Amino acid sequence: MKKQRNKKQTAANNATRVDGLEKDTQTNAPIPEDRIRQRAYEVSQARGGAPGCELDDWLQAERELKEEMARAHPADGPADLKTRLLGTQGLRVSVLGLGCMGMSDFYGPGDEGEAIATIHRAIELGLTLLDTADMYGMGRNEELVGKAIKGRRDQVLIATKFGVVRDSTGKIVAIEGSPAYVRAACEASLKRLGTDTIDLYYQHRVDRRRPIEETVEAMAGLVREGKVRFLGLSEAGPDTLRRAHAVHPISALQTEYSLWTRDPEATVLPAARALGIGFIAYSPLGRGFLTGRIRQPDDLAPDDWRRQTPRFQEGNFQRNLRLVAEIERLAGEKGCTAAQLALAWVLAQGEDVVPIPGTKRRSYLEENVGAIEVTLTPEDLARIDRVLPPGAAAGCRYNEDQMQALNR
């Protein structure tokens, strides 16, 4: 029956095989077999579980899923999201990723239902890279991502991180990169995510107490065992990158990069490019500030972590609003939102750069995806450089203690 089902499935759907997934030719959205199987089971149960109808159940399940996917891809959305290659080991991701941190931590209260719906919408729109970490929500964010991708695992690439240790109150107490910790952290992340493989595994911050070679060798062991596919570092400096890459290929470096944080342009981004390492830009919207939606500190929840950071402090906040005004003016001329202009600028910095704007709402996600359609000309980019040059933002991006852990 399976052979008959597969033959009829191919003829009925005119589908192609891409990366092991069934791909519908109208929506370009992959339909994993486990989703069809689950829907077919639901169809069968609705019919009373009558035997002899398995093929009909399968075909009806496919029809329903195709119709749902067609509705999920509106005409004004990208029909086939562009991709970019990170590193030289074959890691290809959507041109835009989704940062999931704020769904569980740091940016005020979360709504799990809306967060999961946002991840589902991201998948529908063609975003393949989901970014989390074991320290976000002290494990809760990985659990949320795991719940959201259940039944959709083959449609996404999971990037997570280890190395930032928090105590029971949430306070950061250590940066850890020992081989034993690397292995234990990976096993815990796999369990929370509900998967047997992490696609991209980062060291979140470099442990200055031990050689980077020691940590990366432990990470490489996870690759050899099939528990991790690709390796990355976050906020690592050029020398650390070179030493790490000599132990095992590093596919991606994740560092903050945006119109108000252009520090990587000096040494880090050139070093990554010289080694053939892809660049993941986190906080490409300046932790939401560059969207223009934050007009005063009280727009943030009382427990929002951003209130503690220098750029959101009194004085710096008002000066940085002037930068936002410039972005809004330029965006108005381009017919897009401030957020879309800021993301379009990051996307224009090179085919090896992938921004991962974070959001916990579908409406903001859809706005962010619209940035892919914004084209900035060389003249636009030159003008942006004039009004928003490196160093234009008032205040450091982290407080003094946290800045000590960067670019190491």
Side-chain angles (χ1 to χ4, degrees):
M1 200 279 290
K2 185 173 181 181
K3 184 175 180 181
Q4 180 187 8
R5 181 198 72 196
N6 288 340
K7 182 177 180 181
K8 195 162 184 177
Q9 174 185 350
T10 302
N13 294 312
N14 191 26
T16 56
R17 295 291 293 185
V18 179
D19 294 332
L21 305 180
E22 296 296 340
K23 194 167 187 181
D24 179 75
T25 55
Q26 291 182 335
T27 64
N28 288 316
I31 310 176
E33 285 194 11
D34 61 346
R35 288 188 66 190
I36 303 174
R37 188 176 299 109
Q38 176 62 31
R39 180 60 62 86
Y41 173 77
E42 294 169 1
V43 170
S44 172
Q45 292 302 299
R47 285 179 171 174
C53 300
E54 291 87 354
L55 180 57
D56 290 338
D57 294 341
W58 183 274
L59 294 174
Q60 181 175 332
E62 281 191 302
R63 284 194 297 272
E64 290 179 2
L65 288 169
K66 287 177 68 177
E67 290 171 1
E68 290 173 9
M69 287 183 172
R71 291 194 297 271
H73 287 260
D76 58 353
D80 193 4
L81 208 61
K82 303 179 182 74
T83 61
R84 289 184 173 179
L85 187 65
L86 296 175
T88 58
Q89 294 75 52
L91 177 57
R92 184 170 289 279
V93 303
S94 53
V95 70
L96 202 69
L98 175 63
C100 299
M101 180 190 78
M103 297 175 178
S104 306
D105 208 355
F106 296 108
Y107 291 179
D111 178 334
E112 183 175 294
E114 178 61 18
I116 290 175
T118 299
I119 292 173
H120 289 173
R121 182 60 177 148
I123 296 170
E124 290 167 357
L125 290 171
L127 275 66
T128 61
L129 181 61
L130 302 180
D131 185 87
T132 181
D134 60 4
M135 66 91 72
Y136 299 160
M138 300 168 69
R140 294 192 306 276
N141 194 242
E142 286 184 327
E143 291 172 350
L144 184 149
V145 170
K147 187 181 296 185
I149 65 171
K150 189 173 183 179
R152 296 171 167 84
R153 178 64 180 94
D154 291 342
Q155 296 174 261
V156 298
L157 297 168
I158 299 174
T160 192
K161 316 175 198 73
F162 72 91
V164 178
V165 183
R166 301 170 73 179
D167 65 16
S168 59
T169 69
K171 180 182 178 182
I172 295 174
V173 295
I175 304 297
E176 181 60 69
S178 69
Y181 183 85
V182 171
R183 176 168 294 279
C186 179
E187 295 290 352
S189 288
L190 288 169
K191 183 177 181 180
R192 286 189 291 265
L193 289 163
T195 186
D196 55 7
T197 306
I198 294 167
D199 296 298
L200 176 57
Y201 201 40
Y202 294 99
Q203 183 179 23
H204 206 159
R205 293 290 185 270
V206 175
D207 182 353
R208 291 181 286 169
R209 300 171 302 170
R210 56 180 35 86
I212 189 64
E213 291 86 352
E214 184 179 318
T215 301
V216 174
E217 178 54 41
M219 296 167 70
L222 298 173
V223 175
R224 290 190 290 270
E225 294 173 20
K227 295 178 179 180
V228 170
R229 294 179 62 210
F230 301 97
L231 301 186
L233 297 177
S234 179
E235 293 287 3
D239 183 58
T240 298
L241 267 183
R242 286 186 283 268
R243 290 165 53 201
H245 195 63
V247 175
H248 186 281
I250 302 298
S251 296
L253 170 68
Q254 182 174 139
T255 296
E256 184 175 355
Y257 190 34
S258 70
L259 277 171
W260 80 345
T261 300
R262 298 182 60 177
D263 316 33
E265 295 174 358
T267 60
V268 174
L269 188 50
R273 283 177 168 155
L275 295 167
I277 297 172
F279 193 92
I280 298 289
Y282 78 83
S283 293
L285 295 174
R287 299 189 172 86
F289 201 96
L290 303 181
T291 66
R293 287 188 283 267
I294 304 172
R295 312 307 296 191
Q296 56 188 357
D298 285 344
D299 288 338
L300 303 174
D303 62 344
D304 194 306
W305 168 82
R306 289 172 288 188
R307 285 177 172 268
Q308 307 170 28
T309 62
R311 292 182 179 175
F312 287 80
Q313 299 294 312
E314 194 71 27
N316 289 340
F317 190 102
Q318 286 71 27
R319 287 193 290 274
N320 287 326
L321 278 179
R322 291 197 284 270
L323 299 181
V324 174
E326 292 289 347
I327 294 172
E328 289 175 323
R329 180 169 59 83
L330 294 167
E333 295 175 12
K334 294 295 293 184
C336 63
T337 67
Q340 289 169 339
L341 183 94
L343 288 174
W345 179 87
V346 177
L347 287 166
Q349 300 312 300
E351 289 295 315
D352 54 350
V353 177
V354 174
I356 51 168
T359 184
K360 47 189 175 182
R361 296 181 180 89
R362 282 169 287 181
S363 58
Y364 294 161
L365 167 72
E366 291 171 354
E367 178 185 352
N368 292 344
V369 171
I372 297 168
E373 306 303 318
V374 177
T375 300
L376 298 178
T377 66
E379 293 75 20
D380 293 330
L381 294 170
R383 186 177 174 195
I384 291 170
D385 277 344
R386 287 194 296 272
V387 298
L388 292 158
C396 295
R397 54 191 178 109
Y398 287 103
N399 62 37
E400 187 174 346
D401 288 344
Q402 291 170 317
M403 288 295 291
Q404 297 301 312
L406 308 181
N407 199 29
R408 295 294 176 183

